[in-house]
Amino acid sequence: MSDATQFSSFRFEVNAAVAHIVLNRSDKRNCLVREFWYDLPQAVKLAERLPEVRCILLRAEGKMFSSGIDLAVLQGLTAMGDGLELARKADHLRRTVLSLQDAISALEETRLPVIAAIQGACIGGALDVVCAADIRLAESATAFTPLEMDFGFVPDLGTVQRLTANLPSAVVADWLMDCRTVSGDEAKHLGFVSRVVADAGELESMAVALAERIAARSPVAIMGAKEVMKFTKEHGVKASLRYTATWQSSVFPGDDVANCLKAKQTGGAPSHENMADDRPLYGKEDTLQQ
Ligand SMILES: CC(C)(COP(=O)([O-])OP(=O)(O)OC[C@H]1O[C@@H](n2cnc3c(N)ncnc32)[C@H](O)[C@@H]1OP(=O)(O)O)[C@@H](O)C(=O)NCCC(=O)NCCSC(=O)/C=C/C[N+](C)(C)C
């Protein structure tokens, strides 16, 4: 593996077109320290800038994925703005929560596919983080716990919104309001994770293999799938069908599709070109105005 850069809150390395973001503070149960919230979007941007990277894999060392936000950060948040009048204290807090939300949204907003491999436990803010991944893989026994409810506040970094967007509301309400621990097996049954395995060792090899398979596919098709899925959630099936027509018409003339077709005919492996960051919006605005 090649070390592309140093982040203080996790390891970042690139191997076989996959950028690995590895939580590596297992002695502290990979709690999400202050620097994490700055490092995460920076690592996503870096992955996007590296031309060889086609997929991001978020995983963790040790017995659990993450115990959630660093309790010192949580304490700092509750004490934030102490001494200020109530309205200014609330404004302070609101802006901080928005910036933590933005850090997590970087995973959803990147054009690269994001896979999260989750073992042991995934608590509070860590659940917010994995909710923003495109694909979640877990160990059967992983405990998914929205622990914020026990602290007297609603999960505020995306769990509520992303679960609500993806699961039936009674399932979400039951999970959150009872502050339930959902196991990997149950999460698979609910459709929150797509694959489970019996142990953590297997989880890592399955996740790496999946990430490398996705990274080897046409980036144009993979990014297209992510983009069109997102568009469908935001705008519904009808608008998305129109959008897909516009997207497809801008992609078909490109080399990537031609390379894939040629490889199918000759039986070889296609060579892929990365999609430039500055491609137009594929007529998104036009589609919405129709
Ligand atoms: C059950 C836990 C996760 C694991 O228990 P354990 O027995 O396996 O490990 P132990 O408790 O001995 O912890 C080992 C060391 O790690 C430190 N640790 C663990 N988690 C955290 C944490 N979240 N923040 C800071 N430090 C942590 C622990 O102090 C030990 O350190 P020493 O070896 O003593 O130096 C158990 O650890 C646990 O319950 N952890 C706390 C879980 C928690 O409350 N998480 C926060 C939930 S709220 C949230 O994540 C999001 C909030 C969003 N927002 C703030 C914006 C509202």
Side-chain angles (χ1 to χ4, degrees):
M1 289 214 183
S2 68
D3 243 353
T5 194
Q6 289 295 322
F7 291 97
S8 67
S9 61
F10 47 69
R11 216 170 61 240
F12 179 98
E13 54 206 14
V14 176
N15 190 37
V18 178
H20 294 243
I21 296 176
V22 188
L23 304 179
N24 60 350
R25 297 185 165 202
S26 59
D27 58 326
K28 297 287 179 196
R29 304 298 177 257
N30 297 320
C31 66
L32 306 175
V33 293
R34 191 176 303 281
E35 297 77 15
F36 171 84
W37 303 98
Y38 177 76
D39 288 349
L40 181 66
Q42 296 303 320
V44 171
K45 274 194 202 137
L46 175 63
E48 284 176 338
R49 277 202 309 274
L50 294 170
E52 71 273 29
V53 171
R54 302 274 167 82
C55 182
I56 295 174
L57 174 58
L58 178 61
R59 57 187 180 87
E61 289 177 354
K63 69 175 188 176
M64 66 177 61
F65 178 79
S66 168
S67 63
I69 205 159
D70 183 347
L71 292 174
V73 174
L74 189 58
Q75 265 152 18
L77 279 177
T78 41
M80 180 174 277
D82 272 356
L84 293 177
E85 59 183 279
L86 206 59
R88 287 193 56 208
K89 183 175 160 95
D91 183 52
H92 243 63
L93 252 168
R94 181 172 179 275
R95 279 187 283 123
T96 305
V97 170
L98 286 174
S99 73
L100 303 188
Q101 291 175 350
D102 287 349
I104 293 178
S105 293
L107 295 173
E108 193 171 72
E109 282 157 16
T110 174
R111 64 198 163 83
L112 294 168
V114 177
I115 301 173
I118 312 146
Q119 81 277 19
C122 180
I123 297 173
L127 185 55
D128 291 298
V129 171
V130 302
C131 279
D134 297 302
I135 299 176
R136 284 167 289 279
L137 313 172
E139 204 186 344
S140 310
T142 301
F144 292 96
T145 314
L147 199 62
E148 293 91 334
M149 300 296 287
D150 271 356
F151 287 96
F153 44 79
V154 73
D156 50 4
L157 306 180
T159 290
V160 182
Q161 292 71 18
R162 294 186 172 105
L163 288 184
T164 303
N166 293 298
L167 298 178
S169 61
V171 167
V172 180
D174 183 326
W175 189 352
L176 297 177
M177 291 178 186
D178 200 16
C179 194
R180 245 164 27 83
T181 289
V182 162
S183 71
D185 280 335
E186 188 182 351
K188 163 85 169 61
H189 178 71
L190 296 175
F192 179 64
V193 305
S194 54
R195 304 181 198 206
V196 283
V197 284
D199 74 78
E202 251 185 274
L203 177 68
E204 185 178 328
S205 44
M206 175 176 71
V208 170
L210 176 62
E212 290 180 359
R213 281 200 305 278
I214 289 177
R217 301 188 71 84
S218 155
V220 176
I222 298 294
M223 288 173 214
K226 177 163 179 168
E227 173 71 14
V228 171
M229 284 174 71
K230 224 185 317 176
F231 191 95
T232 308
K233 276 190 191 154
E234 285 164 13
H235 304 289
V237 170
K238 196 167 175 192
S240 183
L241 283 168
R242 299 179 102 68
Y243 177 49
T244 308
T246 315
W247 170 282
Q248 208 71 308
S249 61
S250 74
V251 160
F252 252 90
D255 289 343
D256 207 69
V257 173
N259 289 344
C260 288
L261 283 172
K262 198 165 146 203
K264 278 267 176 238
Q265 283 156 2
T266 58
S271 67
H272 296 301
E273 290 189 1
N274 233 339
M275 197 182 250
D277 281 0
D278 55 357
R279 281 177 85 105
L281 282 167
Y282 301 94
K284 191 183 269 186
E285 261 112 40
D286 297 348
T287 306
L288 287 171
Q289 276 158 19
Q290 281 169 31

